[in-house]
Amino acid sequence: MRRILVHSTAVAAGQQAARAKRLAKAAEDLDKLTAAAGGRHYKTREKIVARIGVVTAKRRVTSCLRWHITADEHGTPGLTWHFDQDVLKAEAAVDGWYALITSVPANKADPAQVLIHYKGQGAVERRYHDFKGPLAVAPVFVQHNRRVAALIQVICLALLVFCLIERQVRRALGPDETMAGLYPDNRRVRPTGRMILYHLGELTLRIGNVTDPPTVQINRGVQLHLLDLLDTDITQTRWPQT
């Protein structure tokens, strides 16, 4: 197994912003508690400690918060606190870093290639979504394991065709990979396999005869555009006879 360390400036910025937000909210809560310590609601040390526990858990500052409860000559409790800057610096030092674990040997994929494969996981996850969504792979009502395996194989082939249709349309559109006409508001979007088949699913075939061959009837311009992108000749409505 190989471990590859990756640093993302975007992730680091997000973690820094999230930490600053947590610290600001925790400081606000602790300042209020400091002002209220010894008052009607926080007369005892135990109540102050309990409230600190709530704040640290809610704001997730347990590791860096340092606090001390004092008492004056009358026994009235007070609170002092601060954030440990050494702990915060240590947390900031690892912002944006994460590890990738792979079994692919170095001679087959360098760290950059491993990262590219990892970044492509979104497409894989989306295919799993298609697998369980448009293709409706579950539930499977069959009686034998071999029939389950056969059905899954057929559905995987359908998923392959589904993905190839989407890829063909996007490649034909060019680098932008967007088109209008898929939605009523005519906004430009990246076509998905589901949307492509939704529009093409409304095509109708007019049955012909010996002298009048069958024809595909197109109801909307977006259907013709999709067929052009798929390089499909709608005049070929029958398999050629050999």
Side-chain angles (χ1 to χ4, degrees):
M1 303 296 291
R2 298 164 58 201
R3 181 180 65 179
I4 299 173
L5 297 179
V6 182
H7 183 264
S8 169
T9 54
V11 173
Q15 292 175 334
Q16 292 168 4
R19 183 185 305 106
K21 186 176 180 179
R22 286 191 291 107
L23 293 176
K25 290 184 176 180
E28 182 180 354
D29 293 341
L30 292 168
D31 285 339
K32 291 181 180 178
L33 180 58
T34 300
R40 181 178 62 173
H41 299 292
Y42 301 100
K43 290 183 179 181
T44 64
R45 173 188 176 89
E46 289 73 19
K47 289 186 176 181
I48 297 176
V49 172
R51 179 57 184 168
I52 292 175
V54 172
V55 172
T56 54
K58 181 179 180 181
R59 304 305 183 188
R60 293 176 291 145
V61 293
T62 303
S63 62
C64 64
L65 178 62
R66 303 292 179 262
W67 54 272
H68 179 66
I69 296 179
T70 61
D72 60 14
E73 62 274 12
H74 302 291
T76 303
L79 173 66
T80 60
W81 65 271
H82 69 278
F83 293 128
D84 191 326
Q85 295 302 314
D86 290 335
V87 173
L88 294 179
K89 289 180 181 179
E91 291 180 358
V94 296
D95 284 346
W97 287 97
Y98 59 93
L100 299 179
I101 307 297
T102 179
S103 59
V104 180
N107 60 349
K108 291 187 177 180
D110 60 24
Q113 292 172 322
V114 172
L115 178 61
I116 291 173
H117 288 310
Y118 170 73
K119 290 295 185 179
Q121 65 178 338
V124 177
E125 293 296 332
R126 188 159 61 87
R127 294 313 175 195
Y128 276 117
H129 175 75
D130 294 334
F131 196 67
K132 296 180 290 186
L135 301 183
V137 69
V140 178
F141 298 106
V142 291
Q143 296 179 346
H144 304 291
N145 289 341
R146 63 180 183 178
R147 292 185 178 180
V148 174
L151 180 58
I152 295 299
Q153 183 177 10
V154 171
I155 295 177
C156 285
L157 291 174
L159 178 62
L160 176 61
V161 174
F162 185 88
C163 300
L164 290 174
I165 289 174
E166 180 182 287
R167 186 179 72 165
Q168 171 63 24
V169 170
R170 291 186 177 183
R171 284 187 172 183
L173 286 171
D176 187 32
E177 293 187 355
T178 62
M179 64 176 291
L182 295 175
Y183 289 94
D185 59 3
N186 212 37
R187 66 181 184 273
R188 298 190 66 86
V189 296
R190 295 182 71 190
T192 62
R194 174 177 246 173
M195 185 57 64
I196 294 168
L197 293 181
Y198 168 78
H199 287 286
L200 295 183
E202 297 184 357
L203 291 173
T204 57
L205 177 65
R206 185 183 64 81
I207 304 300
N209 50 48
V210 176
T211 59
D212 185 15
T215 58
V216 176
Q217 296 179 333
I218 297 176
N219 303 317
R220 298 190 304 275
V222 66
Q223 295 172 334
L224 181 60
H225 188 194
L226 288 171
L227 291 171
D228 288 340
L229 294 172
L230 290 169
D231 195 21
T232 302
D233 186 0
I234 62 174
T235 63
Q236 298 296 326
T237 54
R238 291 182 180 176
W239 291 104
Q241 300 295 319
T242 58

